[in-house]
Amino acid sequence: MNKTKINQAIKTQLFSADKDQVLTALNKLKESGNKDYLPILFELMVAGCETEVEKQIQKLLGTVKDKETIPVFINALQEEHFKPIRKNIATSCWQNGLDFSDDIEVFVDLVINDNWETAFEAFTVIDNMEHFPSAEVMKPIKLKIARALKVADERRAYMLEELLKLST
């Protein structure tokens, strides 16, 4: 994704009732998109786009490599409006391979508080991290995980125990 402004013609195509126009616009974004399109793509998904369109958006989000998009993904994960697609966003975060280690607590919170599928996707993001924050930064996060472990069901407890192992 490049650092250009939003092309209004592409934006209009993205919101077209014609599935082929939307797919054409998504293909254009693969070539010339930027981080400013991400909220638009999230909006399309939360609005309930067609399955084929959703799959193409998911595929595109999984290929994003621009580090400047990290705050956009994190904001979307934390925004209540995007809760219905949180699982999809978290999936994109581990697929695209960006370094979300500075935002590990967001993913830990999803593992602790969100539905099982979203929790698993968030766990996968953490599991795939190459670098973890310092021990000092991790200390309160580990305490949060330990507290959650006391009340977690069996499946969630497994993930939380694994998180404690990963971050040591």
Side-chain angles (χ1 to χ4, degrees):
M1 291 199 162
N2 300 326
K3 294 173 175 66
T4 56
K5 294 197 186 302
I6 289 182
N7 178 320
Q8 288 304 315
I10 292 176
K11 184 177 177 182
T12 301
Q13 273 187 302
L14 286 170
F15 287 100
S16 171
D18 179 357
K19 178 182 73 172
D20 292 332
Q21 286 227 2
V22 178
L23 293 172
T24 299
L26 289 172
N27 281 328
K28 289 178 186 171
L29 287 183
K30 288 177 190 172
E31 304 301 319
S32 63
N34 67 62
K35 67 182 169 94
D36 296 332
Y37 286 100
L38 292 178
I40 296 169
L41 297 177
F42 298 149
E43 284 296 337
L44 281 171
M45 289 174 74
V46 86
C49 55
E50 290 188 37
T51 305
E52 188 178 350
V53 170
E54 185 175 332
K55 284 181 183 176
Q56 288 303 313
I57 292 172
Q58 191 71 44
K59 195 174 176 181
L60 179 61
L61 294 174
T63 63
V64 172
K65 298 297 180 209
D66 183 355
K67 287 184 236 179
E68 289 184 21
T69 62
I70 291 172
V72 181
F73 281 104
I74 295 301
N75 289 340
L77 284 169
Q78 294 176 304
E79 206 171 302
E80 195 62 31
H81 174 69
F82 294 125
K83 187 173 184 173
I85 62 164
R86 235 179 236 157
K87 174 185 163 256
N88 303 72
I89 298 168
T91 300
S92 299
C93 291
W94 68 259
Q95 287 175 336
N96 64 33
L98 290 169
D99 180 6
F100 289 97
S101 59
D102 288 344
D103 300 290
I104 190 171
E105 190 166 7
V106 172
F107 294 98
V108 167
D109 288 342
L110 292 175
V111 171
I112 293 170
N113 300 313
D114 225 295
N115 67 52
W116 167 248
E117 290 180 346
T118 303
F120 183 76
E121 297 299 335
F123 172 81
T124 305
V125 173
I126 298 167
D127 192 35
N128 285 309
M129 287 182 180
E130 292 181 25
H131 310 291
F132 285 92
S134 68
E136 185 180 315
V137 171
M138 286 304 297
K139 189 174 182 179
I141 296 171
K142 285 182 171 188
L143 288 172
K144 181 187 281 193
I145 293 169
R147 280 193 304 272
L149 197 51
K150 293 176 183 175
V151 296
D153 63 31
E154 192 177 325
R155 293 191 302 181
R156 202 169 305 261
Y158 173 78
M159 288 191 294
L160 294 171
E161 288 168 359
E162 289 300 307
L163 290 180
L164 286 174
K165 291 179 200 171
L166 281 173
S167 59
T168 52

